[in-house]
Amino acid sequence: MKARSVPVRSPMITPQVMLRAYAAGIFPMAESADDPGLFWVEPELRGVIPLERFHLPSRLARTVRSDRFEIRVDSEFEHVIAACAEAKADRPETWINARIREIFGELFRLGHVHTVECWRDHRLVGGLYGLALGGAFFGESMFHRETDASKVALVHLVARLRRGGFCLLDAQFQTGHLAQFGTMEVPRLAYQTLLEAAVARPGEWWCWPRGTIATGAQALAELTVG
């Protein structure tokens, strides 16, 4: 990946510094889960999922409509980020270290970080987390323990963002997995323009009231509005 990176001492990064960094177009990563240090990253090409042109494969739409998973929001942040940080056969290293988990935990308690979770038979089987700032949402990481669970979480995220008036879904980098949803690579300067407009615009995360469980049909309906 092409990106400018600047090492930074972890104690320097507070929740307030983190919010300013995201508003400026940079985000932190760690070399590995065991590395205590962090560095700022500013990609030359930024992965962006267009909210108005989100591509939903027909097979996945059927899975969403079936309500195979119960969707919860912001109910188990610590479990979600821990699952996202787990090493896997296809991803032996993770960029989520203890300091990132600590800072994002603080931002979650402040109401800036959110989760979308897929549950099945009282088990957390997939989900994602990210940071909301104005009308921008910065997707950080996702995981799945059952087929399609993370994809269903993403569909519900997009539906919530559209309903709540968000205008930017940042995916950090383009990947083969995200390409199927219409993810684009945006040059740094063009991304800055999108970012400034999005951060200045209000976004309502709780467009579905707290405790409300949105159904698959409701999520799909939001994707067809407009």
Side-chain angles (χ1 to χ4, degrees), residues 30-223:
E31 290 290 350
S32 69
D34 298 325
D35 187 344
L38 299 177
F39 56 90
W40 293 121
V41 179
E42 186 180 22
E44 294 180 10
L45 293 174
R46 195 73 165 238
V48 172
I49 301 177
L51 291 171
E52 297 303 318
R53 299 190 304 278
F54 180 75
H55 179 258
L56 178 60
S58 57
R59 186 189 64 80
L60 180 59
R62 290 193 294 272
T63 301
V64 172
R65 189 177 296 279
S66 74
D67 288 324
R68 177 190 304 172
F69 306 110
E70 176 189 340
I71 304 301
R72 302 182 192 176
V73 173
D74 289 3
S75 75
E76 289 289 352
F77 168 76
E78 293 294 344
H79 288 172
V80 170
I81 196 170
C84 288
E86 290 175 354
K88 298 181 179 179
D90 60 344
R91 191 187 63 187
E93 294 289 340
T94 176
W95 54 268
I96 302 173
N97 67 359
R99 185 58 180 144
I100 286 178
R101 291 173 65 166
E102 179 184 3
I103 297 171
F104 272 80
E106 294 176 25
L107 287 166
F108 174 74
R109 289 184 284 275
L110 291 171
H112 290 288
V113 166
H114 301 285
T115 65
V116 178
E117 309 154 12
C118 288
W119 292 75
R120 186 173 167 88
D121 297 330
H122 307 292
R123 294 185 302 113
L124 178 64
V125 296
L128 56 83
Y129 77 96
L131 185 150
L133 192 60
F137 189 89
F138 306 88
E140 289 296 307
S141 189
M142 58 175 59
F143 79 99
H144 70 275
R145 291 172 178 153
E146 288 193 11
T147 301
D148 288 339
S150 61
K151 295 177 184 178
V152 171
L154 177 60
V155 173
H156 276 267
L157 170 67
V158 171
R160 179 173 290 268
L161 297 181
R162 284 176 55 115
R163 183 181 177 89
F166 287 77
C167 56
L168 176 64
L169 174 50
D170 179 298
Q172 297 182 345
F173 300 103
Q174 169 72 291
T175 66
H177 174 70
L178 292 177
Q180 65 186 302
F181 302 110
T183 307
M184 305 184 307
E185 288 188 320
V186 180
R188 183 184 296 121
L189 291 180
Y191 173 78
Q192 285 290 342
T193 299
L194 293 174
L195 177 63
E196 290 174 11
V199 170
R201 175 176 172 171
E204 178 52 61
W205 176 257
W206 294 110
C207 51
W208 275 300
R210 292 176 184 267
T212 298
I213 298 177
T215 66
Q218 288 175 312
L220 294 176
E222 289 300 327
L223 298 185

